[in-house]
Amino acid sequence: MYKPALMLRGAILAALLGASVPPSMAAENAGAVQAWLTTGDQAKLMARGPDARFGRAKPAALVIDIDPATRFQEMQGFGASITDASAYLIQQRMNPAQREGLLRELFGRNPGLGMSFTRLTIGASDFSQSHYSFNDMPRGESDPGLTRFSIEPHRASVLPTIQRALAINPQLKVMASPWSAPGWMKTSDSLVKGSLKPEAYDAFARYLGRYVGAMEKEGVPLFALTLQNEPHFEPEDYPGMRVDPASRAAFIGGHLGPLLAREHPGTTVIDWDHNWDEPDSPATVLKDPVAANYVSGVAWHCYAGNVAVQAQVHAQFPDKDTWFTECSGGRWSPDWAKNLMFFTKTLIIDSTRGWARGVLLWNMALDENDGPHLGGCKDCRGVVTIDSRSGEVTRNVEYYALAHASRFVMPGARRIQSSEGVGELSNVAFRNSDGSLALVVANGAQKEQTFSVRIAGQSFRYTLPGLSVATFAWGSQQ
């Protein structure tokens, strides 16, 4: 979608990373509200502005009312996927100081973005330098005993990256998704295309269980698995696997669910992991009385359909969690301001209003050539771009959209009530467990908008430039 952003330098970097007052703490004095701003023209990139202040002056014509007593889902947080490509660039194309600086910037807090949610690939995706599973066999051969299972392909780059991220942020939650079962388990006898053979259900469940156990031994606990990335898509040139809803229900209910409950009770199953355009598919799985016992939630992607279906499916199954697990930017959409609006409004605001407990973008990092990749997307972009020759980092538009939430919304926060449909302003509000509040506002209009934020009879006024985003953070109102 996007033309890469300019690198942060000088005062802009200091404003982002050098703030002396943690946003999760109470404001410096009663009534003060921190204001952080990113403008569509890139003149301000997550820049700290003058504080706003609550008072009893007459509010503006546009008012966002906040009610902290009306609470919705508990949040895990925001982040991006540590793909093979991302981990390779971080481990193999950065020097130790660059690597540590970037990981602290992404996963650390005060300063830092405080990313607290990430996703790993179980084997290769299109953003890998080779196509592999953790139990490959020569064509025509099989290994039902999993005697050749090994996570060795992750040892050089993925494991040290996720291990360091967890050391920096112990609140980081990790999920994982396969792009394909090993080829010998599939109708295609290949990682590319095909579907899972019913006679391989038991072996694939044990394969996923072995992966969970192996990662636990490496100090990487997984809170959730999906059984297949984008199960209604069979790509032509990278790993993929079709698994229809009836097959997913049979696999989860009869194999994977009982295995995880027995051997890895801390790891749950999340269904779907695909686009908004086919909500009947996860609904079918959740209607299965056996599979539903093992499915904790539904995961969504952004590439087709409308974010509104998240709330619709949640209304059908209110006891199941909602997660947003993939969306990528890329060169196909060059308008920086438009992309800032999409990622902030649709994913940070609308997706969490649609009950998402966590929001993930796709590649955490890609290089100057939008890779490395093997097949698949040729013009996707990472949250950051790492120059493969120098290790220098460019922070892209996705970085700022994530930062406006991840720096201020802590794990355990609750989404709270705030006004919808306030002119062309979109917003979402959160209350952290320490009592502090955060409000993200996106102005989708071309022109500046003046509005008031009102809570408990007091309000503050703010003018937000057109096509810009602000986060407001303040201390407990209770």
Side-chain angles (χ1 to χ4, degrees), residues 262-275:
R262 182 175 65 249
E263 298 182 8
H264 305 287
T267 305
T268 67
V269 179
I270 301 174
D271 188 51
W272 192 222
D273 212 7
H274 207 167
N275 292 326

Side-chain angles (χ1 to χ4, degrees), residues 121-197:
T121 69
I122 304 175
S125 71
D126 46 332
F127 286 93
S128 301
Q129 292 173 293
S130 64
H131 293 164
Y132 68 92
S133 78
F134 294 133
N135 204 145
D136 289 326
M137 295 293 292
R139 197 172 184 89
E141 298 184 28
S142 63
D143 181 23
L146 305 182
T147 60
R148 296 191 184 182
F149 178 90
S150 173
I151 63 167
E152 190 63 27
H154 275 184
R155 199 162 298 282
S157 297
V158 172
L159 278 171
T161 302
I162 188 61
Q163 288 166 339
R164 185 60 189 141
L166 283 162
I168 292 168
N169 183 2
Q171 291 183 297
L172 177 67
K173 292 293 186 184
V174 186
M175 64 172 290
S177 307
W179 264 239
S180 174
W184 55 269
M185 299 184 188
K186 299 169 61 183
T187 57
S188 62
D189 196 16
S190 170
L191 294 174
V192 179
K193 306 195 77 168
S195 59
L196 185 64
K197 297 176 182 177

Side-chain angles (χ1 to χ4, degrees), residues 191-471:
L191 294 174
V192 179
K193 306 195 77 168
S195 59
L196 185 64
K197 297 176 182 177
E199 58 266 33
Y201 284 5
D202 179 68
F204 189 42
R206 288 185 287 109
Y207 171 87
L208 294 174
R210 288 281 295 274
Y211 171 76
V212 173
M215 295 299 282
E216 287 176 347
K217 288 181 181 178
E218 297 291 341
V220 184
L222 300 167
F223 87 94
L225 296 179
T226 63
L227 69 89
Q228 174 60 37
N229 173 72
E230 299 187 345
H232 285 192
F233 180 45
E234 293 178 77
E236 297 285 343
D237 58 358
Y238 66 95
M241 182 170 73
R242 180 170 291 275
V243 193
D244 64 31
S247 299
R248 298 201 309 276
F251 176 70
I252 294 168
H255 300 273
L256 181 60
L259 183 147
L260 291 177
R262 182 175 65 249
E263 298 182 8
H264 305 287
T267 305
T268 67
V269 179
I270 301 174
D271 188 51
W272 192 222
D273 212 7
H274 207 167
N275 292 326
W276 293 315
D277 62 338
E278 296 185 78
D280 288 345
S281 186
T284 298
V285 174
L286 292 177
K287 289 175 183 175
D288 183 282
V290 179
N293 290 326
Y294 300 107
V295 176
S296 65
V298 178
W300 301 96
H301 296 184
C302 75
Y303 306 114
N306 191 294
V307 65
V309 303
Q310 291 184 188
Q312 295 165 11
V313 173
H314 179 267
Q316 288 181 270
F317 306 97
D319 61 328
K320 303 301 183 182
D321 290 334
T322 301
W323 302 91
F324 183 86
T325 52
E326 187 183 314
C327 194
S328 182
R331 297 183 188 272
W332 56 84
S333 179
D335 189 320
W336 203 94
K338 180 180 178 181
N339 299 324
L340 176 67
M341 288 299 101
F342 171 78
F343 279 101
T344 307
K345 181 184 182 302
T346 306
L347 304 188
I348 302 301
I349 295 174
D350 292 348
S351 184
T352 56
R353 278 189 172 274
W355 294 92
R357 294 190 58 202
V359 174
L360 287 175
L361 301 187
W362 185 207
N363 291 276
M364 184 166 289
L366 292 177
D367 67 17
E368 70 279 6
N369 298 311
D370 308 320
H373 67 89
L374 183 58
C377 184
K378 298 175 176 59
D379 55 358
C380 286
R381 190 175 59 252
V383 171
V384 300
T385 298
I386 296 174
D387 190 297
S388 62
R389 300 151 298 189
S390 67
E392 291 186 2
V393 174
T394 301
R395 294 152 185 86
N396 296 318
V397 64
E398 300 88 345
Y399 175 99
Y400 298 102
L402 283 172
H404 272 279
S406 64
R407 286 196 69 196
F408 305 93
V409 181
M410 315 298 162
R414 297 286 292 272
R415 179 172 66 90
I416 58 176
Q417 181 67 46
S418 63
S419 303
E420 290 189 78
V422 182
E424 295 188 64
L425 301 173
S426 300
N427 75 88
V428 66
F430 303 92
R431 182 185 187 276
N432 291 307
S433 57
D434 67 357
S436 61
L437 282 81
L439 172 70
V440 182
V441 182
N443 178 13
Q446 295 285 336
K447 297 181 179 180
E448 67 179 30
Q449 300 285 301
T450 298
F451 60 94
S452 291
V453 175
R454 183 166 57 194
I455 181 171
Q458 292 196 326
S459 64
F460 68 83
R461 185 178 292 224
Y462 193 83
T463 298
L464 183 58
L467 302 179
S468 297
V469 177
T471 299

